Amino acid sequence: MASSQGKNELRFADWMAALPDSIHGTPLTNLAIPGSHDSFSFYIDEASPVGPEQPETVQNFVSVFGTVAKKLMRKWLATQTMNFTSQLGAGIRYFDLRISTKPRDPDNELYFAHGLFSAKVKEGLEEINAFLADHPKEVVFLDFNHFYGMQKYHHEKLVQMLKDTYGNKMCPAIFAHEVSLQYLWEKEHQVLVFYHSPVALEVPFLWPGQMMPAPWANTTDPEKLIQFLQASITERRKKGSFFISQVVLTPKASTVVKGVASGLRETITERNVNWEHGSLFCDEWRGVYDTVKTP
């Protein structure tokens, strides 16, 4: 007998293809599309070096306490419990991606990173592509929004990697309101790549980062978060671009200190499960949040 998770994955793996005909021509900016925060963080490697974006205090903490410090860090850095394939099967279509070089890496690879290093970018892109090959009517949004330790040739390497992996599956940057499922299916496009770097202006299939803004509440208070989300949605309706509605509670430094050994899930998730909108936050802290696209 299939598990409940397996049934859900079967149900949501082709949810775009299953939408009613009346929605096929609707601009994707008018749809709410589920996404994940630090989408790659399931793969975070405790044995990796600390990421170059981390402050000196964190670097010093790890240099003193070593592996123990990294294990504690992972509890706060991993916002995902599912790999890319499982997220896609569960219906996730937006991916928050942060890219870094690794210090003293002889292979000069590119990695996903959030405090510690995660999977190689090439492997992650190929995993997503394998899903798309099996589900030709599903569309993903890849949001490359942070780059660490990257020079021009690293960006060139990443652009070539995208070409080699997705080829004509990538939709060139056009007016956002022109992009619908019907349009993408006719063109056989399945991937929209948003790239928060001036490099996007030089490559036709890269959508400039400003076409996918992500206003951030930066709060641990659920009520303040809801107020912020309502205000930002109202404001973004006027802009005509895609945008992210980050249903994300952000722990403060004091929160981490108080719960340093317990981690993100126990310190933040459990506290909000019985809140008025608890089910929403329980889902979020498994890594899922709504990526709302509105005109």
Side-chain angles (χ1 to χ4, degrees):
M1 181 181 293
S3 67
S4 58
Q5 182 175 343
K7 289 179 181 178
N8 282 339
E9 289 191 7
L10 289 174
R11 193 173 81 192
F12 296 127
D14 293 288
W15 71 263
M16 287 179 160
L19 288 172
D21 293 347
S22 59
I23 294 179
H24 294 175
T26 302
L28 291 185
T29 53
N30 290 13
L31 302 183
I33 297 176
S36 58
H37 181 61
D38 287 318
S39 305
F40 51 85
S41 57
F42 170 84
Y43 305 87
I44 284 178
D45 181 8
E46 295 171 4
S48 78
V50 177
E53 83 284 9
Q54 290 302 295
E56 187 177 353
T57 52
V58 173
Q59 302 277 357
N60 292 338
F61 176 64
V62 171
S63 67
V64 173
F65 295 101
T67 303
V68 173
K70 291 180 184 179
K71 287 182 179 296
L72 294 175
M73 285 177 67
R74 192 184 192 285
K75 289 186 175 185
W76 286 95
L77 297 172
T79 63
Q80 300 300 323
T81 60
M82 295 189 291
N83 61 23
F84 284 136
T85 301
S86 294
Q87 289 182 52
L88 286 159
I92 297 303
R93 295 293 178 269
Y94 164 90
F95 292 92
D96 165 24
L97 306 174
R98 304 164 190 228
I99 314 301
S100 181
T101 58
K102 186 182 287 188
R104 297 176 296 281
D105 177 18
D107 297 324
N108 207 25
E109 288 279 2
L110 297 176
Y111 295 84
F112 299 114
H114 183 218
L116 296 171
F117 288 91
S118 182
K120 293 179 180 178
V121 173
K122 187 174 188 296
E123 294 172 355
L125 298 182
E126 289 174 346
E127 185 177 348
I128 292 170
N129 191 48
F131 176 89
L132 295 176
D134 291 336
H135 304 271
K137 287 195 169 184
E138 300 307 296
V139 175
V140 298
F141 298 77
L142 305 182
D143 189 11
F144 293 85
N145 52 64
H146 288 72
F147 301 99
Y148 306 114
M150 289 182 61
Q151 306 299 322
K152 182 179 180 181
Y153 68 92
H154 292 116
H155 285 285
E156 291 172 349
K157 180 175 182 175
L158 180 52
V159 167
Q160 188 61 49
M161 198 182 297
L162 289 164
K163 285 182 182 178
D164 294 342
T165 305
Y166 299 117
N168 292 331
K169 285 191 178 81
M170 291 185 291
C171 177
I174 57 177
F175 291 112
H177 67 268
E178 297 179 12
V179 182
S180 65
L181 287 174
Q182 182 175 314
Y183 172 85
L184 294 171
W185 292 343
E186 288 174 355
K187 300 290 186 180
E188 298 185 346
H189 297 321
Q190 290 182 271
V191 182
L192 278 74
V193 178
F194 294 84
Y195 208 85
H196 295 247
S197 163
V199 173
L201 301 176
E202 305 169 10
V203 183
F205 62 77
L206 296 182
W207 291 63
Q210 60 263 32
M211 293 297 292
M212 185 66 85
W216 176 37
N218 193 18
T219 181
T220 57
D221 185 331
E223 287 287 0
K224 289 182 179 178
L225 174 59
I226 294 298
Q227 292 170 9
F228 177 85
L229 292 171
Q230 290 172 337
S232 62
I233 287 174
T234 301
E235 174 64 23
R236 287 296 165 184
R237 287 185 189 279
K238 308 170 187 175
K239 303 294 184 180
S241 67
F242 296 97
F243 84 96
I244 302 166
S245 188
Q246 294 199 63
V247 187
V248 177
L249 293 175
T250 306
K252 301 174 183 177
S254 58
T255 311
V256 176
V257 171
K258 290 177 183 176
V260 65
S262 54
L264 179 65
R265 189 179 183 92
E266 292 81 0
T267 306
I268 299 291
T269 311
E270 304 294 335
R271 191 186 73 188
N272 289 294
V273 165
N274 295 319
W275 187 64
E276 181 182 357
H277 301 287
S279 61
L280 172 70
F281 287 95
C282 181
D283 285 345
E284 194 284 310
W285 286 113
R286 283 197 290 272
V288 177
Y289 67 104
D290 285 339
T291 301
V292 181
K293 325 282 196 224
T294 61

